[in-house]
Amino acid sequence: MVKTKNNKLHFSKQEICIVLLVLFLVVFGCVMVYSASSYSAQYKYGNQYFFLWKQLFGVVLGLFAMGVLALVDYHILLKFRYVIFAISIVFLVLVFVPGFGVKSFGASRWVNLFGLSIQPSELAKFALVLMLAAYLSKNHDKIKSFKGLLYPFAVAGILCVLVIIEPSMSVTMCLALVTMFMLIVGGMSKKHTMLFSSIAAVCVPLLIVAEPYRLKRLFAFLDPWASPLGEGFQLIQSLYGLGNGGLFGVGLFNSRQKYLFLPFAESDFIFSIIGEEIGFVGALCLLGVFAMLVFAIFKVALNAKDRFGSLLACGVGLVIGVQTLLNVAVVTGSIPPTGLPLPFISSGGTSVAVFMAAIGVVLNVARQSNQK
C-alpha cells in the first residue's frame, strides 16, 4: 500500500491477494465452526451459536488488529520486542496461577482475564518470531558459530519449557520447528543444522515417554483399534469423517461426526468435518488456499526492504505453514494425536485474532517494500 501523487492510497496486487486469502479463510472458518459446533453447542450450552459468536468476536478483534498493524511501521516492533516477549512469558506463567489460569482436560493452557479466555501460547509463537527476526537481522555472521546460536535457542527454550509443562507438546513442536527453520533461513551452518536436528530427534521420543498420556497416544496412533473407546477413539472418529466425505463430501452442514461422535470437532479436529462435508477435493482446495497464502507471504519476505522485515514476514509464513501441516497430519493420522488449531479456521478467538494481527505486520512489510 503506497500513496500516489494525488495522495491516494494504492494497494499492491500482493497486498490485495493476501487480504482476500485471509478473509476467505476466516469467513470459511466461521461457517465451518458453526457447522461443526451447532449441535454440541445447543446440547451443552443451549445456544447453537455459542462457538460462532466467540469466533466472530475473535475475527472482529483480528480485523482491527490487522488494520492497525498494516499501517504501523513494523520497525516499532523492533523497539518493543523485549516488552512483547516479557508479556508473553508473563501470560504463560499466569496459566499456572490460581484465579487466572483455566484448567481444561488436565491442561492449563488458558488465562481468564476480565471474563475473556486467552490462550498465551498463541501470542508466544509470534513473540518468538519477533525475537528471532530481530537477532538474526543484526547477527548474521554470529550464527555461523555455536556461541552465536546460544541466544536464539535460549529464547526459544524459555518459551518451549513454559509451554511443554502446560502441557502442550503440539505447540512446543511448532515453536521448535519454526525456530529451526528461521535459523536455517537466517544462515545457520549445515553442521549445526544436523547437530540440533539430531538432538531434537532424540528429545521427541524422550518427551513422549516422560508422560504416560503421551505414550498412550503414541500407541493409539500406531493401532487406534487397540483402544477404540479409549485413546484411539478420537482418531478413529476423525478417519470415519474423512472417509465418509469421499471425493466431494456429504454437503455443507450435513456432517454426521459433529453429532457428539468426534471430540473437539469445532477446534483441533475441524479439518475432519471439512473433509466430511466438502470431500477430498474440497479439503485439497482449502490446503491450496493455505499454500497460496504462505507463498504470498514468503514473496513479501523476499521483496522486503531490509533483513528484519524479511525475517519477520518469513517467520509469520513459517508459523502458518508449520501449524497447518501439523494439524492436518494429526487429523489424518499421519502423526500421533495432539491438540493444535488450524490457522484462521479452528474455533478459538485468541488464535484467529493473533494470526490476523500477524498478517497485518506482513502487510506493513509489503507496503514499505512498495514505497518509492
Side-chain angles (χ1 to χ4, degrees):
M1 181 172 63
V2 297
K3 285 187 177 182
T4 63
K5 292 181 179 179
N6 297 323
N7 207 32
K8 294 182 179 179
L9 291 176
H10 172 71
F11 295 88
S12 68
K13 291 181 180 179
Q14 202 170 45
E15 292 171 85
I16 294 173
C17 176
I18 291 174
V19 170
L20 290 178
L21 289 171
V22 170
L23 289 179
F24 170 81
L25 289 174
V26 296
V27 170
F28 179 74
C30 288
V31 172
M32 291 311 305
V33 165
Y34 170 72
S35 177
S37 68
S38 57
Y39 182 81
S40 61
Q42 182 66 41
Y43 179 81
K44 295 177 182 177
Y45 304 103
N47 179 7
Q48 64 178 330
Y49 302 107
F50 178 81
F51 290 102
L52 176 60
W53 291 135
K54 292 176 68 175
Q55 190 73 357
L56 287 172
F57 180 70
V59 170
V60 171
L61 284 179
L63 284 171
F64 175 76
M66 185 170 72
V68 170
L69 290 173
L71 297 174
V72 174
D73 187 350
Y74 65 87
H75 293 95
I76 291 178
L77 296 175
L78 187 62
K79 298 177 181 179
F80 289 96
R81 64 188 183 280
Y82 294 115
V83 175
I84 295 172
F85 184 65
I87 290 173
S88 68
I89 291 176
V90 169
F91 273 100
L92 285 173
V93 172
L94 281 177
V95 301
F96 306 107
V97 178
F100 288 99
V102 178
K103 198 167 186 177
S104 179
F105 296 96
S108 301
R109 300 174 186 170
W110 297 268
V111 171
N112 192 333
L113 197 64
F114 305 115
L116 295 176
S117 183
I118 301 171
Q119 192 168 2
S121 59
E122 295 298 322
L123 175 62
K125 297 169 192 172
F126 296 103
L128 173 65
V129 167
L130 176 58
M131 291 293 287
L132 292 178
Y135 179 80
L136 294 174
S137 63
K138 295 182 178 181
N139 299 278
H140 176 65
D141 295 329
K142 286 185 179 180
I143 64 166
K144 299 293 183 181
S145 66
F146 182 83
K147 185 179 179 181
L149 291 169
L150 294 179
Y151 177 85
F153 276 116
V155 169
I158 292 171
L159 296 179
C160 285
V161 168
L162 289 172
V163 171
I164 195 66
I165 61 178
E166 290 182 349
S168 179
M169 187 170 179
S170 55
V171 177
T172 305
M173 288 178 61
C174 183
L175 292 171
L177 287 171
V178 169
T179 299
M180 285 296 296
F181 288 138
M182 283 197 70
L183 289 176
I184 291 171
V185 171
M188 182 170 65
S189 68
K190 292 181 180 179
K191 178 179 68 175
H192 290 138
T193 300
M194 292 298 294
L195 172 64
F196 289 111
S197 296
S198 301
I199 293 173
V202 173
C203 288
V204 170
L206 290 177
L207 288 172
I208 293 175
V209 174
E211 288 286 350
Y213 84 92
R214 293 190 192 123
L215 199 57
K216 289 180 180 179
R217 286 186 176 182
L218 177 61
F219 290 141
F221 161 70
L222 296 173
D223 184 13
W225 290 103
S227 56
L229 298 178
E231 291 295 330
F233 179 80
Q234 190 173 32
L235 178 56
I236 290 172
Q237 296 303 317
S238 176
L239 296 176
Y240 276 159
L242 292 170
N244 189 42
L247 276 177
F248 301 105
V250 297
L252 203 58
F253 307 118
N254 292 327
S255 165
R256 299 173 186 173
Q257 293 305 102
K258 68 181 180 182
Y259 292 106
L260 304 184
F261 291 105
L262 177 62
F264 305 108
E266 76 285 345
S267 55
D268 298 340
F269 277 74
I270 198 169
F271 189 75
S272 178
I273 303 298
I274 292 171
E276 184 180 9
E277 293 192 350
I278 64 175
F280 175 78
V281 173
L284 202 60
C285 289
L286 177 64
L287 293 180
V289 174
F290 274 109
M292 286 190 289
L293 176 60
V294 172
F295 178 79
I297 293 173
F298 284 164
K299 193 172 180 180
V300 169
L302 287 172
N303 295 327
K305 73 174 188 178
D306 57 29
R307 190 172 176 80
F308 173 63
S310 178
L311 288 165
L312 194 59
C314 180
V316 172
L318 284 172
V319 173
I320 295 171
V322 168
Q323 187 160 322
T324 300
L325 290 175
L326 288 176
N327 177 273
V328 173
V330 167
V331 172
T332 57
S334 303
I335 61 174
T338 183
L340 195 66
L342 185 62
F344 307 107
I345 304 289
S346 290
S347 175
T350 305
S351 177
V352 70
V354 172
F355 270 99
M356 292 179 75
I359 291 297
V361 176
V362 173
L363 291 174
N364 187 261
V365 175
R367 177 177 69 87
Q368 295 204 36
S369 67
N370 292 326
Q371 284 181 340
K372 295 180 181 180

